[in-house]
């Protein structure tokens, strides 16, 4: 199992942090065919070969994904896309 773990501080209010997380989830869903669902302030990702979550706190966004063997070759691309999206969303 290959893991992507990204923690990014933010100064957004809860509504805007959730909006940023939703935008990230939509983008990942479109690019990598990942399903997602909200569970309170926790956004769960799932598809064959990957599962994970994005947790929103008052101070940061924490993304944790576990990639199966078939998606390992895409780890750097997925991680790069997550970081790129977060850079755009969290710049003030």
């Amino acid at each position: 199992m290959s893991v992507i773990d990204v923690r990014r501080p933010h100064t957004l209010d809860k509504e805007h942090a959730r909006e940023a997380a939703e935008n990230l989830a939509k983008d990942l869903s479109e690019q990598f065919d990942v399903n997602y669902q909200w569970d309170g302030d926790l956004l769960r990702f799932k598809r064959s070969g990957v599962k994970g979550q994005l947790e929103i706190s008052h101070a940061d966004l924490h993304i944790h994904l576990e990639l199966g063997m078939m998606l390992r070759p895409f780890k750097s691309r997925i991680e790069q896309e997550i970081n790129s999206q977060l850079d755009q969303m969290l710049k003030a």
Side-chain angles (χ1 to χ4, degrees), residues 43-67:
L43 183 61
R44 297 185 189 276
F45 296 94
K46 191 170 186 180
R47 73 159 261 188
S48 178
V50 65
K51 67 179 179 177
Q53 62 189 32
L54 186 158
E55 185 175 8
I56 300 173
S57 77
H58 71 281
D60 67 13
L61 297 174
H62 180 208
I63 300 168
H64 181 86
L65 296 175
E66 296 176 0
L67 306 176

Side-chain angles (χ1 to χ4, degrees), residues 16-73:
H16 288 99
R18 188 176 173 105
E19 185 179 306
E22 179 74 22
N23 288 336
L24 175 62
K26 283 180 183 177
D27 187 63
L28 291 176
S29 176
E30 290 170 7
Q31 288 193 43
F32 301 106
D33 195 29
V34 175
N35 296 317
Y36 65 94
Q37 180 176 351
W38 283 101
D39 182 11
D41 288 337
L42 193 62
L43 183 61
R44 297 185 189 276
F45 296 94
K46 191 170 186 180
R47 73 159 261 188
S48 178
V50 65
K51 67 179 179 177
Q53 62 189 32
L54 186 158
E55 185 175 8
I56 300 173
S57 77
H58 71 281
D60 67 13
L61 297 174
H62 180 208
I63 300 168
H64 181 86
L65 296 175
E66 296 176 0
L67 306 176
M69 191 180 321
M70 297 298 286
L71 290 176
R72 278 187 198 163

